[in-house]
């Protein structure tokens, strides 16, 4: 149950190895890596700056892991989220989950991403030829989260 | 007294990120506080209006606008989150 | 669209980095790692041997990737599957998918695993205090695959 | 002539993994071939019976038992797959 918020990059392969070897009865590791796209809404993006609410962020991420653990039979979970200014193709976030079998790990990982996108206090601002602009929240992210409470899991 | 924090687009439009605030008898909920702050005019008027659909947290937990504020709380206002 | 069947282990971190950097507009990488559990049906497992149908395997895996590509808007996909004799906690399989946004990558990755479990010609035999035994296919795997044709995606 | 391959549990119970086989007029489908092989007796009788629910491939593609076999095909029999 590890949560880290950091400006530094992370080594996804190292983290996944650590996580999967925590228990010898682990059968499945599902992970999500999010990275900065060089393109958003049709415009070239030169950098992305992530602001967050430091006193709240780790608690919010731990709450998301706790929710995932109460919903599915998972062994362990990890969230690493970067803040600060990032360039296209840099990694932003790693969410990884282990379990005995794949079904629970897939669901828990996607659940965690859907909650992270709607409940963790991060805000993105992007720079490009257009100048600077805050990225708008997507209603599709709210819809993605609502799926999990609509009995559709 | 409570502490109020502003993040992201809100912080930018106000040009500051936090203030200490004295609760009054008629400010009970987050919605009451938002109405009070909006009445300051200028950038404040736009703060909680329009498409930005401001979210609030009390003591580092997301809350609805009907949540009750008490002395000593840390109240934060911010736009819908966009991490991940 | 890479498929590899090999006895050697793989470096998941290296593979994920290669995959995610293929396109600068990649925003999401979803991956699954399967590993040998030290426990199956309540019995300790000392090793697992994977047999396959060499002339058919790569084609079957490429077909699974092609199906995923026709169903979802994904950029690229990778399947690495090991054969031979493996010990508990060794990696068996890596399935990874990239896309612009997370929803498509999650669905495509789980789809590929569900099809791999029911259509790719691999067979597992495990050893332990119980002797040797072939692992039985699970009807839950057939059910998992059928979800994708029942309009429930 | 066709080639028949056996994998996993089937290969083990037969103690060999492949054979060349002469198609006859009354063997048209995979199901016909399975019936013919079963009639050889001993391990063959059990091969396509019981819980093992044998799967078949023709020329490296999974097929139903109603699929038609033609000269030159590679037909493979194996248990339900268990990779991943």
């Amino acid at each position: 149950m590890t949560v880290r918020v950091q400006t530094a990059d992370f080594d996804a392969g190292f983290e996944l190895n650590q996580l999967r070897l925590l228990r010898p009865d682990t059968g499945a590791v599902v992970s999500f890596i999010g990275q900065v796209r060089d393109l958003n809404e049709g415009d070239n993006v030169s950098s992305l700056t992530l602001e967050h609410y430091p006193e709240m962020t780790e608690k919010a991420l731990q709450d998301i892991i706790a929710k995932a653990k109460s919903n599915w039979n998972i062994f362990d979970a990890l969230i690493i989220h970067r803040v600060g200014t990032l360039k296209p193709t840099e990694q932003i976030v790693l969410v990884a989950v282990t379990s005995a079998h794949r079904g629970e790990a897939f669901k828990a990982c996607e659940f965690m991403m859907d909650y992270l996108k709607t409940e963790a206090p991060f805000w993105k601002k992007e720079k490009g030829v257009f100048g600077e602009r805050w990225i708008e929240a997507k209603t599709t992210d709210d819809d993605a989260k609502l799926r999990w409470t609509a009995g559709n899991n | 007294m409570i502490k109020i924090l502003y993040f992201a687009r809100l912080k930018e439009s106000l040009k500051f990120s936090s203030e200490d605030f004295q609760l009054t008898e008629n400010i009970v909920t987050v919605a009451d506080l938002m109405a009070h702050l909006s009445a300051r005019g200028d950038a404040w008027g736009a703060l909680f209006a329009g498409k930005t659909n401001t979210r609030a947290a009390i003591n580092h937990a997301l809350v609805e606008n009907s949540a009750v504020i008490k002395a000593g709380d840390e109240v934060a206002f911010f736009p819908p989150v966009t991490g991940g």
Side-chain angles (χ1 to χ4, degrees), chain A residues 51-53 55-56 59 81 92-93 113 116-125 134-137, chain B residues 5-9 11-12 51 55 57 59-62 74-76 78-84:
Chain A
E51 175 180 338
H52 74 130
Y53 179 179
E55 296 81 0
M56 176 173 171
K59 176 182 178 300
H81 203 298
I92 303 169
V93 62
M113 276 308 302
L116 190 155
K117 285 266 182 186
T118 49
E119 303 210 334
F122 295 100
W123 301 276
K124 285 178 185 153
K125 189 183 210 176
W134 291 98
I135 291 187
E136 300 291 335
Chain B
L5 304 179
Y6 304 92
F7 289 96
R9 192 199 305 272
K11 177 172 70 178
E12 248 182 24
K51 70 173 178 178
R55 302 291 311 266
N59 301 332
H60 316 133
L62 285 174
E74 177 172 305
V75 179
F78 42 77
V81 303
T82 56

Side-chain angles (χ1 to χ4, degrees), chain A residues 133-144:
Chain A
R133 65 187 179 201
W134 291 98
I135 291 187
E136 300 291 335
K138 294 185 210 156
T139 55
T140 52
D141 285 332
D142 293 319
D143 297 342

Side-chain angles (χ1 to χ4, degrees), chain B residues 40-71:
Chain B
R40 289 174 171 175
D42 295 333
W44 296 97
L47 210 58
F48 304 114
K51 70 173 178 178
T52 301
N53 188 22
T54 305
R55 302 291 311 266
I58 297 180
N59 301 332
H60 316 133
L62 285 174
V63 295
E64 299 299 319
N65 292 352
S66 56
V68 171
I69 303 171
K70 56 184 197 313

Side-chain angles (χ1 to χ4, degrees), chain B residues 17-64:
Chain B
S17 63
S18 72
E19 63 177 300
D20 292 322
F21 182 88
Q22 182 63 53
L23 278 182
T24 58
E25 261 182 28
N26 57 342
I27 300 179
V28 177
T29 65
V30 169
D32 295 337
L33 179 58
M34 288 164 80
H36 177 90
L37 295 172
S38 293
R40 289 174 171 175
D42 295 333
W44 296 97
L47 210 58
F48 304 114
K51 70 173 178 178
T52 301
N53 188 22
T54 305
R55 302 291 311 266
I58 297 180
N59 301 332
H60 316 133
L62 285 174
V63 295
E64 299 299 319

